[in-house]
Amino acid sequence: GEPIGPNLWKFCPEGQAGTNGRRAVFPECTGDSLHGRRTAKEIYEAAGIADRKSVPILFDKASATVVSNESAEIVRMFATAMAPFHTRDVALYPAEKAARIDDMNDWIYKEVANGSYKAGFSSSQDVYEAAFETYFAALDRLNTILEGSKFLVGPTVTEADLRLFPTMFRHDPVYYLRFKLNAAYLWEYKNLWRWMGDMVRLDGMEAVSNGAYLAHCKQGYFGRAGNGTIPVGPVGYPECFKNPNWPVQK
């Protein structure tokens, strides 16, 4: 175990043994190139912040402090305050769409992103079933929105699409089984499936939608629960997101 405590987010490029007995190594896992810290908890402590160990972390090297550890805030900062440094011509939070993006973000977070965790981690049958119903009603709503729109708030990608993407990427290969969100696969939603194809084809999305990234996701969600075994399937993911005719019949 870790000398400073268990269950900490670690910089672990060398990998570690999972509860299934196999050693897991992921190339995207790097060391702390700034201070050589071992865990996220140590990053906070170095910045004078006690009792924190969560990720993500936006760290300012100049002031040696944690700017934010809230993913929604960090996405907004990258879309707005850091716009002068963008290398691609993408307006993720344009002023004329801000109100619609904020509204979309609000209910998607409550009903889809956070809702999936309510279903997956609740020990109450009533809470699980309520979250289950809300989640799939939200997917129906999203599918309807995308019937007349390429992306959630018009013809171009915005912050709302980026915030929805992680949950949709994980739904079939992870949440369907791990969170018991098994009313339908994503490919059963025609417009959502088309949207997924458009998302994974965007410049820069390969790094967060390839097979290695999915393997890392599965290790995190399944490798720390139950008996720790990692599902081999479902076969074809994530490459199938680019196939509008999925599933392919055997």
Side-chain angles (χ1 to χ4, degrees):
E2 286 294 324
I4 63 172
N7 301 320
L8 298 175
W9 289 103
K10 296 182 288 187
F11 296 94
C12 199
E14 71 279 11
Q16 66 178 34
T19 55
N20 62 356
R22 291 189 180 180
R23 189 167 193 82
V25 180
F26 298 101
E28 63 272 19
C29 292
T30 65
D32 173 13
S33 60
L34 189 60
H35 297 118
R37 309 290 182 185
R38 182 66 177 169
T39 66
K41 183 175 184 287
E42 293 171 272
I43 300 293
Y44 287 107
E45 291 174 345
I49 303 170
D51 300 321
R52 292 288 187 275
K53 57 183 181 180
S54 65
V55 293
I57 297 173
L58 181 61
F59 189 86
D60 179 30
K61 293 190 292 184
S63 59
T65 193
V66 174
V67 177
S68 177
N69 64 354
E70 211 293 307
S71 58
E73 288 182 358
I74 294 172
V75 170
R76 180 66 54 82
M77 290 175 187
F78 281 132
T80 55
M82 298 186 184
F85 305 100
H86 288 179
T87 58
R88 293 184 177 90
D89 185 20
V90 178
L92 295 177
Y93 192 67
E96 68 276 11
K97 295 180 179 180
R100 292 174 62 197
I101 292 170
D102 288 343
D103 176 68
M104 194 81 68
N105 285 343
D106 182 63
W107 68 263
I108 286 176
Y109 172 75
K110 292 174 181 176
E111 300 174 20
V112 180
N114 194 52
S116 65
Y117 275 73
K118 282 185 178 180
F121 289 107
S122 176
S123 59
S124 163
Q125 186 69 30
D126 289 341
V127 171
Y128 158 70
E129 290 183 7
F132 182 101
E133 295 297 330
T134 298
Y135 178 87
F136 283 101
L139 262 57
D140 287 334
R141 182 179 178 184
L142 288 164
N143 197 54
T144 299
I145 290 170
L146 291 166
E147 184 174 5
S149 180
K150 182 175 183 179
F151 294 103
L152 291 176
V153 191
T156 58
V157 67
T158 67
E159 179 185 295
D161 298 286
L162 291 187
R163 290 183 56 175
L164 174 63
F165 180 80
T167 305
M168 296 298 93
F169 179 79
R170 298 170 191 152
H171 175 81
D172 287 6
V174 178
Y175 293 176
Y176 188 95
L177 180 62
R178 176 67 180 85
F179 286 176
K180 305 178 183 70
L181 290 169
N182 52 7
Y185 288 104
L186 199 66
W187 51 259
E188 296 180 65
Y189 298 87
K190 177 183 177 181
N191 304 312
L192 260 174
W193 189 256
R194 186 270 309 157
W195 172 86
M196 274 297 296
D198 290 335
M199 288 295 293
V200 298
R201 289 185 182 91
L202 291 171
D203 289 344
M205 290 295 286
E206 166 65 19
V208 292
S209 64
N210 60 37
Y213 184 78
L214 177 57
H216 199 165
C217 289
K218 290 165 71 174
Q219 179 71 36
Y221 282 99
F222 293 102
R224 296 179 294 172
N227 59 11
T229 59
I230 312 301
V232 174
V235 175
Y237 286 79
E239 295 79 13
C240 63
F241 288 130
K242 295 180 180 180
N243 184 350
N245 300 313
W246 191 263
V248 176
Q249 301 298 316
K250 290 188 177 180

